[in-house]
Amino acid sequence: MLSDHNCSGIAGFCVVALACIGREKWIRRRKSKQRADWGEISARGESMLLPVFSYMPDLMKSLQDPYHPYTNPRGHITLCVAENKLAIELIGSRLMQYETSSRAFSDAAAYCYSNTLGLPGPREAVAYFLAKHFMHPELTDMNVTEALDHVRPEHVAFGAGAGALVSHLALSLMDEGDAVLIPAPYYAAFTFDLTILAKSTVVPVHSPNPSVGPTPDELENVAASAEAKGLRVRVLLLTNPNNPLGTIYPPEFVRSSIDWARNRKIHTIVDEIYALSVRESGFESVLKTLNGDLRNDVRDNGFNSYLSNVMQRLNTDNAHTFHFYSFPKVHHVYALSKDFCASGFRIGTLYTKNQRLLSCVANLNSLSTVSQPMQLIVQDLLTDDNFIYGFLEHTCQRTRYNYEVCASHLDQMVIPYIPAKAGIFIFADFSSLLPEQTAEGEARFFSLLIDAAKIILTPGQAQRDRKPGMFRICYAFVSPEVLGIAMQRLDRLVGKIRRCHDWDNLNAKSLIDIIL
């Protein structure tokens, strides 16, 4: 028989045990609640789960089931990726030369920390390349010394691709929520690049004729409308040659747009990633249009810069006011991704005379510096004039052939398209085939392309085109033979749709012979 003392001790133990059990249950419930509140990642992390573009899941599906003439003839054919695969072996054979890799890995600088904007030699090579092929392409015999008189290496920075640089520019030039104007339609991933970190507000600028771009009045109307909604307009972003149109903006448009931005005291970013993928004359780089003049105010004759320096020496409180007006506000972005069939290299370049901006990019680059062996390889490539001129001629021939294959099939199908002078895509109008002239109608046609023809194109809605049924066809992503197969499938699908009077009759049975 237990004593009162023992009973009291057991009772006390039970109370403590129950209390501990209750506490553990409370802790488990609390942790469970915290997990529910926090999720597996933060709210900020949740925002980063958004796909780069809306059709990303469909792209992943197509890449997991690629067409092959023998092993998978009923596979998907991807025509939504702006990547040039037609001359990879040419660039590959050049870069696999022993001297190139030897120079890249024998230089001690490749193994050490350095300026995150880039090594001196590679930055000088980019400056030479920009001066020779962008600012003064007519001077084919320009030497390095002459080139560096036009483009200074200290105004050049590397970045992990053009997208990363656009993101860095948005972070450095804009506060959260600030607006960036982009002539529409535009590259689908710009929205991701500008919003994923910088949280900018992307405002499309529509115009009656997108191929020639919006007028200053149209830019002003859109800017004023954005400001009426409480947005602060900070940046104008131009892409020339244009993606997705494949057209070339005339120099007059580029200059008038920059003049408009300068008068409004906002920055202009000019993305010329397709500058050397041009099949017809007419392209002029902004560096040539402005003759390298990236100043803030088109009317500034140097007096503002002089006055700013004087005020700073006097340490006056108003020095920053004058310095603001002397900030260079045109920033040039390029990358090796398109013209050199090297999107996997993740090498972009920024050219700007805004030293404070370069300091921002230097800090941001500390988290994503371009590897120094790759910089040295790029240095070797960009200073090899004979190879570059020959390579660009070969790639132009190959892309022209695929363009003609694509265009001729569209002509046979009586599908309108915008004649492309540059780039690696065609912007085509399939609106006559939609079940209804809405975004939903475009989505149904897009699904039919994937399900019945196993072709994936870039939908116009993802590129902010107002007209349903516009699609970008990236013809350089596949060989001429595979492109021909894709266009045959598309031709058969178009014929089926035109012969069918009711979209509900377009089912698996009626479309079974699209893929032979």
Side-chain angles (χ1 to χ4, degrees), residues 130-140 142 283 288 389:
L130 292 177
K132 191 158 190 172
H133 295 276
F134 287 71
M135 188 177 292
H136 291 293
E138 73 281 2
L139 303 178
T140 57
M142 179 189 295
F283 173 75
K288 183 175 181 62
Y389 285 121

Side-chain angles (χ1 to χ4, degrees), residues 154-390:
E154 60 267 26
H155 298 147
V156 169
F158 279 94
L165 285 170
V166 168
S167 179
H168 288 354
L169 290 173
L171 278 165
S172 304
L173 300 174
M174 309 171 71
D175 291 323
E176 183 172 337
D178 284 349
V180 51
L181 307 187
I182 313 178
Y186 55 75
Y187 170 51
F190 271 150
T191 299
F192 180 89
D193 297 341
L194 292 160
T195 63
I196 191 67
L197 295 178
K199 308 300 181 186
S200 306
T201 303
V202 181
V203 179
V205 182
H206 298 283
S207 57
N209 187 354
S211 295
V212 300
T215 65
D217 286 342
E218 289 164 346
L219 289 170
E220 182 60 33
N221 290 338
V222 174
S225 177
E227 289 170 341
K229 297 175 183 176
L231 298 174
R232 185 175 67 151
V233 179
R234 289 289 290 162
V235 169
L236 170 65
L237 174 56
L238 304 176
T239 302
N240 191 32
N242 184 275
N243 175 11
L245 302 178
T247 53
I248 297 171
Y249 287 139
E252 297 76 20
F253 164 78
V254 174
R255 180 176 288 280
S256 66
S257 299
I258 291 173
D259 287 349
W260 172 83
R262 282 170 161 169
N263 289 331
R264 258 189 162 266
K265 303 296 187 290
I266 66 175
H267 296 268
T268 303
I269 301 171
V270 184
D271 179 342
E272 294 187 342
I273 198 170
Y274 294 99
L276 304 181
S277 297
V278 177
R279 292 181 301 278
E280 297 184 22
S281 61
F283 173 75
E284 180 177 288
S285 171
V286 66
L287 303 186
K288 183 175 181 62
T289 300
L290 300 182
N291 194 27
D293 181 6
L294 307 183
R295 294 173 301 151
N296 168 47
D297 192 336
V298 70
R299 295 165 298 183
D300 180 6
N301 61 3
F303 178 72
N304 282 338
S305 298
Y306 167 77
L307 189 56
S308 172
N309 291 332
V310 171
M311 299 296 280
Q312 285 178 338
R313 289 175 185 173
L314 294 175
N315 292 320
T316 68
D317 293 336
N318 294 324
H320 69 279
T321 302
F322 294 99
H323 194 56
F324 170 81
Y325 288 107
S326 66
F327 276 173
K329 287 199 173 183
V330 179
H331 319 291
H332 179 271
V333 173
Y334 183 70
L336 272 65
S337 306
K338 313 301 181 181
D339 295 339
F340 289 93
C341 310
S343 54
F345 285 12
R346 309 313 307 139
I347 295 177
T349 65
L350 168 66
Y351 174 53
T352 178
K353 293 183 179 180
N354 188 325
Q355 290 298 332
R356 289 172 63 82
L357 174 60
L358 285 169
S359 295
C360 293
V361 172
N363 282 341
L364 291 168
N365 269 357
S366 65
L367 303 174
S368 56
T369 309
V370 175
S371 72
Q372 286 162 183
M374 283 305 304
Q375 291 183 39
L376 293 167
I377 287 172
V378 169
Q379 175 184 350
D380 188 64
L381 173 67
L382 296 186
T383 53
D384 187 347
D385 292 331
N386 290 334
F387 171 77
I388 287 179
Y389 285 121

Side-chain angles (χ1 to χ4, degrees), residues 8-29:
S8 175
I10 291 173
F13 172 79
C14 290
V15 170
V16 172
L18 288 172
C20 290
I21 292 171
R23 183 174 182 276
E24 289 299 319
K25 287 183 177 178
W26 180 86
I27 290 173
R28 286 197 297 271
R29 286 198 302 269

